[in-house]
Structures are given as structure tokens and as C-alpha cells.
Amino acid sequence: MIPLGHIVMLSMFLFCVGVYGILTQRHAIRFLISVELILNAANINLVAFNKYWGTPDGLGQVFALFVIAVAAAASVVGLILVIAVYRLRKSVFIDDFNLLKW
Amino acid sequence: MVKLAHWIPVFPFIAFWLNLAFGRRLGRGSAYIAVAASLMSAALSVIVFLGLRHGAVAYDLAPWVTINGVPVTVGIMVDSLAVMMLLVVTVVGSMIQIYSIGYMGGDVRFSRYFAYISLFMASMLGLVLADNLLMLYIFWEGVGVCSCLLVAFWYEKPSAAAAGVKAFVTTRVGDTGLLIGILILLATGHSLRFADFGGFSGSEMLMAVAALLIFLGAMGKSAQFPLHVWLPDAMEGPTSVSALIHAATMVAAGVYLVARSYVLFTDHPLALQTVAVIGAISAVMAASIACTANDIKKVLAYSTISQLGLMMLALGAGGYAAGTFHLMTHAFFKALLFLGAGSVIHAVHTQDIRQMGGLIHKMRITAITFIVGALALAGVMPLAGFWSKDEIFMALWQNGNPVLFGAAVLTSFLTAFYMARVIFMIFLGVPRAETHAHESPAVMTGPLVVLALFATGLGFIGSPFCQGAFQQFITGHEEGVHLNAGMIIFSTLISLAGIGLAYLGVMRGVKCPGDDCPRRQWLIRVVENKYYIDELYQFLFIQPFNRLCAALTRFDRDRIDGAVNAVAVLTAALARFGRRLQTGRVENYLLMQVAGLLILLLFILGKLCHIF
Amino acid sequence: MNAVVFYMIALFIAVSAVLSVTVRDIFHGAVALTMTLLGIAFLYFYLDAGFLGVIQILVYVGGIMALFVFAIMLTSKMGDHKIPQVNAQFWPGLLIAAVLCAVLLKIVVDSSWMHAQASAVITDLQTIGRSLVTGYVLPFEFISLLLLAALVGAIVIGKVRR
């Protein structure tokens, strides 16, 4: 088998790509795509460590399952927010909004 | 019977709370509650008096604290002195409260007035009954607070508010002395119970200092020189308050305190001497000022200082019975005089005696009772003041100090002079100003008549005709008082001389030879300005204090506020940069967040690689 | 042989992930994300987590991706290529992501488990199922509550107010 470090490097790379997407992309949906990447990076870690160091009760996989469920909930709410904001402002570009200012 | 004594202050205290809580609802009823409470106290005082006969009864109600090994209890001490004060306070207080129903009628804070008066009564009675100095001190402060509240009762007037503050602050100087005196007694491990006083061991000097500090408290309360300045100003309060607090009872508390802890003073000749000297100075000085005052209440106020000085003088000269006797008689006729003055003021709406005159035709009861009181004060045979003053003369004569005796004689002469002057100017002669004077209602004249009867007859219980029943009661000795014809004639002559001089000056308009002499003008100006003592205090204490305050204000404004403002300016300047971070854009915040995470990770990495 | 399969899957995942955040067209980005998620599902199969792989395909590829496509169709004007897709902080963002990557790489390489080998333990579906309804039943219930809340929230937010 390949060493654990290589799988973790893959997930780390996915995480950094997600961070790059969050920091630089204007489109709200691309923002959500980046979030999905980050969550999946975490999931890969969970599954990999479960496989390499885990106990028979499969804690890592159970948690990966929970993360998938939470991610589903998060993306549902995120997407519906994008749609709602689009209806109000006719824009999906995050830097068009500075509602948090002062 | 005697052990019911602790209920005496409870009635006015309940009346105080009732009036405070339901005063608005009660209206005039609050007066009846207060009067009923003090009449019940008076009745109970009489019961206690009848039960006591002689000796002293002391009993504890509850343990309190133990300070420096000295147990202090909540205790009651009823002896002849306390019983005398109880009777004076409750009887005079009841009379004055009945009078107040008429005098204060229509005042916006009618029920508040009776609440304060009830609280005062409760504090004063508690003060009288306390069996130790610490309890006495608590009630002492209670009467002080009531005094301040009642002096400033009409606080809409700036002068009344200022007078209230002055009364409080000036007596506070004395109270601090009293407190330090109590602390010295505690620190040296002595009991605070009056019954245990006497023969205290320890440094002679320290005990004398403690006695003098306790006397300082008495000086403040009894308005003795040099702490007398508050009493004339306290006349800003309602006249009935002046009668009760600043003539009859509260100011007597100082004399009472000295009489209470008399053993402390007799143990130390220096302390006793000081009491006598301060009393003599106050007596003569205040009497001389009273001769030049034109405000009827100011005359009576200075007269009070003077008479209290006379009591102190008597106590200081060893005349324990004489001092306490005068304390009692003075309470009655001074209350009478103040109430009479209040009746006059009520009628003519001025306090300036130069604008009165001929009022005897319009206010017969007030005039007659006032004249009785004034003659009693002047010491005319056979009214109350005569007998007590006679006792003081006798005590001073036996003491043998010619200066002190002379001071008493001079005070007596001046007293007769200024009281006669007041009578002549108010009631006799022709009206000097247009007034629509009328007699006061019965609720006001009734107490006047009762007090006038006391002022007439009370002296006899201390006269040779009763074998000095009062003196026997108060000292517990069986020796009577002997008729001394020489002293009686002498003091009568002194009083008549004063009255005669006033008659010549006021009624006949006789001028002294050399009245316009500039040297005498200078003397008169000094006396008229009350010996410039207020101005001296202004110069010595108040102005430096104000300058200090101004300097501190400047420091506060420039330095401390400046520092605070500098912080604010600095914060604002920083914020002008800092606010640029708050763009309101999510991606900017996220960038910062990730940058922060990165810094954290770099730090951990550095740790791992042992860079830091 | 095993290692070659892993590196192929890894390459597939990495390339499609980069594509998903870099292509101009948001719709293409969504397709690239689908590829990434599919690759991750393969990775799960490779790591003997077959159940999770199935779930990944069912939930992500089947469910969430359909939502993404709907959202894209409801919001953006397709084919508008003139609008810039990156914001003003592109260069700082790129720099920070790169440095983060380097730092994390350093940490992984330095870690004690860099060269750890797989244990023989294989978690089968029965174990996971039993865990979910015994030891982890409380989080399981909370997750169902969360999904319900998300459902209600989505309806409330998405409702057109008149």
C-alpha cells in the first residue's frame, strides 16, 4: 500500500485549492463549490486515518457520514440564500455586497 | 415600672414610619399621630418618674459588640438626670407639636414635618436613655440629622439649605471629637457605660484629652464658642423647630452629655476648668451679640447660646445641680419664647423687631405669655429662671473664682437688658409699621399658656421653699437649699438694672453720653458683626478650602480629563486606520482569517523546527 | 499495481478540483466538481470504505450536484464571458493559498505518520450500521434534526414574498 502521508497530501492539496477558491472567486456558487472541496478534503482524511490507524468500530467512516450530511444541509441553505439574494439584488457576485460594513 | 423605659422612644419612632409611609394619604391626620405618640411617651415618662423615686435603674436589652475586650450592650439607664430630660423632652415636645398643628397648617410638606419631628423625638429620647457612650453617639447623630433636615425644611430658600449644611458640618467638627474621645476610651480598655465612669486608670493626660474631646462634641451640639456659628443660621427653619430643637432639647444634649459623663470631668481639673471657661466666653459673647440683634429669632438664638454657656459655666464650676436645674427651666421658658415669637411672626409676617410695636393690644395671650417667658429668662423673682440662675450664682460664689462669677453676673445683666428691649420693642409703644396683626388660633395659644404656667411655677421645686426638692432628687443628697437673702437681692438688682437700662434706651430714647464717640462706634460695629467670627472662619477655613478645591478642579480638568481625552483622541486616530479593515466584504474578512491561520501554522512549524 | 491505481485516482481528483475553481464558465466548474467528487468516491472504494463511496455518489453526485446545477440555471446568465470571475484580491489570495500549501506540506512531511502503513482492520457495513444506532445514536439523531431544520430554512428563505 501507499504510505498514509501521500493520501494526506492529496487532501491537503484539495483543501488549499478550496481556500484559493474562497479567497479569489467572485461567483457565489463557485464559493460554495470551494466549500465542498474543503469538506471533502476533510472527509478523505477521516477515511484514510480510519483505514490506517482506526479501530474496528469505524469511527472515521461514521464521522465522514455525518460530515456528508452536514455538507448537504449547508449547501442546500447556501444555494437557497444565493437564489434569494439574486432575486433581491439581481447579482450573484459576492463583492457586489458589503452589507456587513459598519 | 421603670423597666418600661425603653418603650418611650418607640412610640415616636412608629409615628415616624407611619407618617413617612402614609403621610400623603393621612393629611392632617399625620399631626394627630405624632402628637398622640409623644403624649404617650410623656405619660410613660411620668410613670417611669413615679416608679423611680431615687437612685438609678440600669438594664440590658441585648448584647451588642465587644471591642478591644470592652463589652458594649444595648442598655437602658434611668436615673434622676435621665428622667428629668425625659420629662422635659416629652412635655415640651408635645406642646410644640400641638402648636405646630396651627403653625405649620397649610404647609405643602405638612406630614413630612411631623415625620421628621417624630424621628427627632425618638432619637432624642434614645439619646437620653442610652446607658453607654456608643449608643448615645448613634442617637446623637440621629438628632443631628433631624436638625439638618428640619433647618433646611424650606429648602426652596437657598439660605435655608445653606443653613442646614452649615448646622450639619459645624456640629460634625464636634462629633468627630466625640468619636475620637470614645475611641480613646475603647483603646485604653475602659468601659463605655456611664455607670462605670470614674477613677479611670491610665495616663492622666490621655484621660483628660478624652474628656476634652467628649466636651468638644458637647460644644458642637450645644453651640458653644467657637462652634456656635451654626445656631443663629439655624433660625432659617420653622420657628417651632427652633423652639424644639435649637432652644429646648437638642442643644441641651451637649449639656446633658457633660452632666452624664460628669465624673470624667471632675476627675480632671483641667477638663472641668475648660468647660467653665468655654461656657463663660460663650455666655458673655452671645449675650452681647443678642443686645444688638434686630431679628427676633436671632436674639433668641444668641440668648440660647448664652444660657447654654451659663449651664456649662455652672457645671464647670462644680454646680452639677445648678447646671441641670437651669437646663430644665431654660427648656420650658425658651420653648415658650420661641413659640411666642412664632406666634408674633405668624401675625405680622416679619422677624424684624424694629417693624413691630404695640402688639400687646392685638395679641393679648401671646404678649402676656411671652412677657412671662422673657421675665423668667431675665431672672425676675419668682419665675423659674430666677431660681435656677440663683443656684448658678451660688455655685459660682462657692467656687470662688471672681472672673467666672463676674462673667455670670455680666451675662445675667445683659440677658435682662436684651429681653426687656425685645419686649419693649415688640409689645409696648406704638406700631412702627402698618400691620394687620391678630391673635393666633387656640391650638397655638394653648401650648403657650401651658408652657407659661411651667415657666412660672417650675422654679419652686428647686427653691428654698421646697427645701430644694429638685437638687435632692438630682444629686441624691439629703441636704436642702437654704434661703440666702443677700444673693436674692443681689440678683434681683442685676435683673432690674438691665430692665431699667432697656426702658431708658428704648422707651425714653435716652442716649448714653458719648454715644457718637468713634471709639465706641468701633466696639458696636464689632459686636453687631458677631465679633467677625463667621468672617474669621471664612478667611481661615472656607477660603483656603475653596482655593484648594479650585486647584484640584483645575488639576482634574487639565490633567486627568486631559489624559482621558488624550486616550479618546488616540483611539479615534487609531480607529481612522482601523476602520479601513472593515470593508463589509466577505472575501476580505476571509483573507484575514486565512492569513491569521497561516501565521498560527507558521508559528507551530517554527516551534516544531526549533526556529524560535 | 495498487500504488499506480491510487496515483491515477489522485491525479484525476487534483486536476478536476483545480479545474472546478479556475474555469471561466460556472457551469463547467460544476461539472468539474462532479468529477472531483466522483474521484473521491473511487478513492473511498480504494480505501476499503465501499459504503461511504456509495453514499458519496448518491448524495453528492446525485443530490447536491443536481441542486448546484439548478441554482446555476436559476441565477446566472449563461455564456456571459465578459464578467471577470476573480475579485480584486486575486494575487494575495493566490499567494496565501500557495504558502498555506507549502506550510501544510512541510508539516505532513515532518509528521511521524508520514510513512505509516495500513492496518489489517477492515470496517464493514454491519459495524458502521451498529455504531450508528448504538454508540453514535445521539449525533445521528441530531443530524436528522439538522437536516429537517435545513429543509424548513430553505423553504422559508426561498419562499417568494408577495
Side-chain angles (χ1 to χ4, degrees), chain B residues 124-364:
Chain B
M124 187 68 204
L125 292 169
L127 188 157
V128 170
L129 285 169
D131 85 328
N132 60 62
L133 264 177
L134 202 59
M135 247 177 93
L136 180 138
Y137 183 75
I138 289 172
F139 290 113
W140 184 269
E141 292 299 336
V143 294
V145 167
C146 290
S147 166
C148 173
L149 288 172
L150 285 165
V151 168
F153 187 70
W154 289 319
Y155 53 77
E156 293 89 348
K157 259 199 307 188
S159 59
V165 172
K166 187 172 178 182
F168 197 70
V169 171
T170 314
T171 50
R172 193 115 281 279
V173 176
D175 295 349
T176 310
L178 174 57
L179 185 59
I180 297 172
I182 293 173
L183 292 177
I184 288 176
L185 288 183
L186 278 174
T188 49
H190 290 114
S191 170
L192 292 182
R193 296 165 83 100
F194 298 118
D196 302 341
F197 276 7
F200 278 171
S201 58
S203 158
E204 184 77 12
M205 199 60 211
L206 198 61
M207 287 302 113
V209 167
L212 284 176
L213 284 169
I214 290 173
F215 178 58
L216 187 63
M219 279 161 64
K221 210 51 126 193
S222 286
Q224 294 298 291
F225 175 85
L227 295 178
H228 66 279
V229 289
W230 66 271
L231 188 59
D233 286 27
M235 294 301 130
E236 289 287 347
T239 309
S240 46
V241 167
S242 308
L244 179 60
I245 296 185
H246 305 121
T249 55
M250 188 193 83
V251 288
V255 181
Y256 178 78
L257 177 63
V258 174
R260 246 303 172 232
S261 37
Y262 199 55
V263 189
L264 276 187
F265 292 92
T266 47
D267 279 358
H268 302 283
L270 174 68
L272 206 59
Q273 206 75 55
T274 312
V275 174
V277 169
I278 294 286
I281 293 174
S282 305
V284 174
M285 186 201 68
S288 63
I289 297 173
C291 294
T292 60
N294 284 320
D295 182 324
I296 180 170
K297 288 182 73 178
K298 286 277 163 71
V299 173
L300 292 174
Y302 282 109
S303 162
T304 304
I305 297 174
S306 164
Q307 295 299 310
L308 290 165
L310 214 52
M311 293 172 212
M312 291 290 189
L313 176 56
L315 287 173
Y320 178 76
T324 49
F325 187 33
H326 196 59
L327 169 61
M328 181 176 73
T329 55
H330 172 261
F332 284 96
F333 58 66
K334 188 52 69 66
L336 168 62
L337 285 172
F338 264 107
L339 294 186
S343 181
V344 169
I345 295 165
H346 205 59
V348 299
H349 299 293
T350 177
Q351 300 190 6
D352 194 335
I353 55 175
R354 286 168 299 188
Q355 294 177 16
M356 303 172 187
L359 287 175
I360 194 168
H361 305 297
K362 290 174 176 163
M363 316 176 66
R364 206 158 277 276

Side-chain angles (χ1 to χ4, degrees), chain B residues 390-468:
Chain B
D390 209 43
E391 277 295 302
I392 293 176
F393 281 179
M394 285 297 292
L396 288 169
W397 184 256
Q398 280 162 10
N399 182 275
N401 189 327
V403 177
L404 295 180
F405 184 74
V409 171
L410 182 57
T411 306
S412 171
F413 171 73
L414 289 171
T415 305
F417 172 76
Y418 65 70
M419 282 323 295
R421 170 171 172 264
V422 165
I423 292 174
F424 290 142
M425 288 185 78
I426 296 178
F427 294 110
L428 303 179
V430 288
R432 293 179 188 77
E434 197 67 26
T435 54
H436 302 285
H438 54 87
E439 184 55 280
S440 301
V443 73
M444 287 167 71
T445 52
L448 290 179
V449 173
V450 173
L451 287 172
L453 290 177
F454 274 109
T456 312
L458 199 61
F460 286 107
I461 63 165
S463 72
F465 301 118
C466 291
Q467 282 81 41

Side-chain angles (χ1 to χ4, degrees), chain A residues 67-94:
Chain A
V67 171
I68 289 173
V70 172
S75 46
V76 166
V77 175
L79 286 169
I80 208 74
L81 275 174
V82 170
I83 293 173
V85 169
Y86 178 75
R87 277 198 206 129
L88 277 175
R89 299 289 174 99
K90 299 290 168 213
S91 171
V92 287
F93 294 111
I94 292 170

Side-chain angles (χ1 to χ4, degrees), chain C:
Chain C
M1 175 56 199
N2 260 340
V4 174
V5 171
F6 170 75
Y7 291 120
M8 277 174 65
I9 295 171
L11 190 67
F12 178 68
I13 292 173
V15 170
S16 56
V18 171
L19 280 176
S20 72
V21 293
T22 48
V23 290
R24 268 204 87 77
D25 193 329
I26 182 72
F27 195 80
H28 294 169
V31 172
L33 178 66
T34 315
M35 291 301 125
T36 316
L37 298 174
L38 210 57
I40 291 170
F42 290 145
L43 187 60
Y44 290 160
F45 287 126
Y46 174 77
L47 290 173
D48 295 325
F51 175 62
L52 216 55
V54 172
I55 294 292
Q56 174 88 359
I57 292 172
L58 275 178
V59 175
Y60 266 120
V61 184
I64 297 181
M65 282 325 297
L67 274 181
F68 268 95
V69 172
F70 277 138
I72 290 166
M73 286 176 165
L74 280 172
T75 54
S76 60
K77 305 166 202 76
M78 301 282 285
D80 189 353
H81 291 273
K82 296 198 177 63
I83 303 167
Q85 290 295 314
V86 292
N87 56 27
Q89 56 180 20
F90 172 74
W91 287 111
L94 185 62
L95 181 70
I96 281 184
V99 174
L100 188 66
C101 196
V103 169
L104 288 175
L105 192 66
K106 169 75 177 156
I107 291 174
V108 172
V109 169
D110 284 355
S111 67
S112 58
W113 35 262
M114 174 64 199
H115 299 292
Q117 285 299 316
S119 62
V121 176
I122 292 176
T123 313
D124 60 359
L125 186 53
Q126 279 176 335
T127 318
I128 294 174
R130 203 166 287 124
S131 292
L132 274 179
V133 294
T134 54
Y136 305 109
V137 70
L138 194 65
F140 183 71
E141 291 299 329
F142 274 126
I143 288 294
S144 54
L145 208 63
L146 177 76
L147 285 171
L148 183 67
L151 192 69
V152 175
I155 293 170
V156 169
I157 295 171
K159 204 173 71 173
V160 180
R161 293 184 187 82
R162 284 181 229 291

